[in-house]
Amino acid sequence: MSTKRRRTATDNKSKQIQNECWPNLSWDDLANWAGSRSVSRGRAYQSHGRVDDLAVSEDGWLLASVTGGERYAVTVWCDQEQKKGGVLYSRCTCPVGTDGCKHAVAVVAEYLKLLGEDAEIPAADPDDERWAMLSGEDDEADDLETDSDDYE
């Protein structure tokens, strides 16, 4: 993961709002990205308090841990330049690994909930070990079956 993506927020609240992709997301956008099943399961994970240690980088990348069958590291980011509403991307240490697993949906749902509550969200530490876990250096998860039905 590049240093740019791992920078901490100097003014966390203004950086969150600066990335207009997040507040403009709809549940339909999430369903188009992750599929309705992942959205349903991700929302359940979020509502049951399975998202921990949520933080946001200076450039708007979300970083969190989500507890399922195991504890997974998750990052989600939005590229506003790809289309008007933005395009979501994610990486997770679960067997699905990339774009749109239920753990990533849970992180987005938690972030949007906190934004709606005007809650303070901590800045992501560039030295957080989860960045290294998500860097793709160990792509073992990419070789596994990507059907998320059997994974918590």
PDB file of all heavy atoms in Angstrom, residues 42 94 119 136-137:
ATOM      1  N   GLY A  42     -23.711  -7.809   5.400  1.00  0.00           N
ATOM      2  CA  GLY A  42     -22.857  -6.750   5.924  1.00  0.00           C
ATOM      3  C   GLY A  42     -23.611  -5.821   6.860  1.00  0.00           C
ATOM      4  O   GLY A  42     -23.094  -5.417   7.907  1.00  0.00           O
ATOM      5  N   CYS A  94     -10.334 -11.671   4.509  1.00  0.00           N
ATOM      6  CA  CYS A  94     -11.188 -12.860   4.437  1.00  0.00           C
ATOM      7  C   CYS A  94     -10.893 -13.619   3.143  1.00  0.00           C
ATOM      8  O   CYS A  94     -10.209 -13.100   2.252  1.00  0.00           O
ATOM      9  CB  CYS A  94     -12.668 -12.462   4.507  1.00  0.00           C
ATOM     10  SG  CYS A  94     -13.360 -11.780   2.981  1.00  0.00           S
ATOM     11  N   ALA A 119     -20.416  11.810  14.405  1.00  0.00           N
ATOM     12  CA  ALA A 119     -19.448  11.274  15.367  1.00  0.00           C
ATOM     13  C   ALA A 119     -18.028  11.514  14.877  1.00  0.00           C
ATOM     14  O   ALA A 119     -17.773  11.561  13.666  1.00  0.00           O
ATOM     15  CB  ALA A 119     -19.675   9.781  15.556  1.00  0.00           C
ATOM     16  N   GLY A 136      -1.473  -6.798   0.026  1.00  0.00           N
ATOM     17  CA  GLY A 136      -1.426  -7.695  -1.117  1.00  0.00           C
ATOM     18  C   GLY A 136      -0.142  -8.474  -1.219  1.00  0.00           C
ATOM     19  O   GLY A 136       0.037  -9.253  -2.145  1.00  0.00           O
ATOM     20  N   GLU A 137       0.774  -8.286  -0.273  1.00  0.00           N
ATOM     21  CA  GLU A 137       2.031  -9.021  -0.309  1.00  0.00           C
ATOM     22  C   GLU A 137       1.798 -10.506  -0.108  1.00  0.00           C
ATOM     23  O   GLU A 137       2.515 -11.334  -0.619  1.00  0.00           O
ATOM     24  CB  GLU A 137       2.983  -8.489   0.765  1.00  0.00           C
ATOM     25  CG  GLU A 137       3.437  -7.079   0.475  1.00  0.00           C
ATOM     26  CD  GLU A 137       4.184  -6.454   1.628  1.00  0.00           C
ATOM     27  OE1 GLU A 137       4.494  -7.152   2.610  1.00  0.00           O
ATOM     28  OE2 GLU A 137       4.467  -5.248   1.539  1.00  0.00           O
TER      29      GLU A 137
END
